[in-house]
Amino acid sequence: MKNVTGAGVVVTGAGSGIGAALARRFAAEGARVVVNDINAAAAAEVAAGGDAAVVPGDAASEPGVARLVSVATEVLGGIDLYCANAGVAQGGGQDAAEADWETSWQVNVMAHVRAARLLTGPWLERGSGHLICTVSAAGLLTMLGSAPYSVTKHAALAFAEWMAATYGHRGIVVQAVCPQGVRTPLLGASGAVGELILGGSAISPEAVIDGIADGRFLILPHPEVARMYAGRAADPDRWLHGMNKLQRRVEEIG
Ligand SMILES: NC(=O)c1ccc[n+]([C@@H]2O[C@H](COP(=O)([O-])OP(=O)(O)OC[C@H]3O[C@@H](n4cnc5c(N)ncnc54)[C@H](O)[C@@H]3O)[C@@H](O)[C@H]2O)c1
């Protein structure tokens, strides 16, 4: 979205990290912003700082998304841009708990589907709307040490692609933001492994946003991700060999 002045914007998971940076940036650029987070106190703090409205609550469950979209529509008089940003990063592999797989699926994927379900009708009717999904480079590549995160971020990217391919000619713009490491509490919680894999090239939450304005579908704040993504497609075995080499380094430190 090139000009957000006066636009009605919702950002989920905006009490912290990338979502807080998105909310602050859009508010500073003249948008009317609704700050959502499941952590009500964090959402209120960000909203107060950016002169925005706050609608705390779960942005993933069916009733949670319905409430958020309905209250935000009332507050803003219509939603022009919805940032499906809230996400969780559960660690573990195939043995990760059922509950962790389920939460990852609900927050990282179904939150986007449920928001799109409610927003698409009004957007098609008026011929415009904008969905920004915070995915991850893990949705294009993988995240060692976290199968639930890798799998659900691939699904989130697949859904964003599907939306763009289906509604591009009817005025709906979809963008998928796919950073590697970003200095937020989520990266901090990934511990020594996250630091080894992502720490060296980690960027600030504010730096993630800079690429959004050019309107491209795939926003890659780390340009090296484009090269790795191309390498994965061109020669999957070579790419997997490289990833397994990194896994062995992770096991040495872990
Ligand atoms: N930090 C990174 O290195 C990184 C890299 C790539 C992608 N991402 C993605 O960026 C997004 C934002 O993460 P972040 O790094 O800013 O993390 P963060 O932990 O700083 O912020 C995430 C926020 O989402 C909120 N949240 C979680 N579940 C929610 C729910 N059901 N409803 C509403 N709010 C909820 C949390 O309370 C938290 O405030 C996530 O989708 C994450 O997967 C992060």
Side-chain angles (χ1 to χ4, degrees):
M1 180 171 281
K2 285 193 167 51
N3 186 358
V4 292
T5 311
V9 176
V10 176
V11 186
T12 73
S16 175
I18 297 168
L22 281 166
R24 289 190 183 112
R25 175 75 66 94
F26 289 134
E29 288 176 359
R32 293 168 304 110
V33 178
V34 160
V35 173
N36 158 269
D37 203 287
I38 202 160
N39 179 339
E45 204 180 313
V46 171
D51 196 19
V54 58
V55 183
D58 181 14
S61 70
E62 210 172 356
V65 178
R67 183 181 165 275
L68 173 59
V69 169
S70 143
V71 176
T73 301
E74 216 173 291
V75 168
L76 300 169
I79 298 171
D80 301 298
L81 165 61
Y82 191 95
C83 300
N85 167 80
V88 290
Q90 314 281 3
Q94 70 282 2
D95 293 330
E98 283 287 331
D100 288 350
W101 280 98
E102 183 57 22
T103 305
S104 304
W105 178 247
Q106 294 298 326
V107 182
N108 294 347
V109 186
M110 289 311 293
H112 302 197
V113 175
R114 289 170 180 143
R117 198 181 277 157
L118 297 171
L119 295 165
T120 303
W123 284 353
L124 289 178
E125 221 164 272
R126 68 181 209 193
S128 69
H130 191 162
L131 177 66
I132 296 179
C133 300
T134 307
V135 184
S136 169
L140 299 162
L141 306 165
T142 196
M143 178 62 197
L144 293 174
S146 183
Y149 192 70
S150 303
V151 170
T152 56
K153 289 296 185 177
H154 272 257
L157 184 69
F159 182 67
E161 282 173 348
W162 185 90
M163 285 290 294
T166 303
Y167 296 116
H169 65 303
R170 298 180 67 185
I172 297 183
V173 175
V174 183
Q175 292 179 285
V177 185
C178 295
Q180 275 193 310
V182 184
R183 289 266 165 237
T184 71
L186 185 138
L187 176 61
S190 67
V193 171
E195 197 52 43
L196 173 74
I197 299 170
L198 304 171
S201 62
I203 58 176
S204 71
E206 290 71 25
V208 173
I209 300 162
D210 293 334
I212 291 175
D214 77 5
R216 262 190 264 194
F217 171 74
L218 207 50
I219 309 301
L220 301 178
H222 296 80
E224 59 272 30
V225 171
R227 286 194 297 277
M228 289 188 259
Y229 186 41
R232 171 181 179 266
D235 191 343
D237 290 296
R238 186 164 186 268
W239 176 75
L240 280 171
H241 182 75
M243 290 308 295
N244 182 248
K245 210 165 140 187
L246 187 54
Q247 169 68 23
R248 281 176 270 155
R249 274 182 59 207
V250 167
E251 288 174 13
E252 275 165 27
I253 67 152

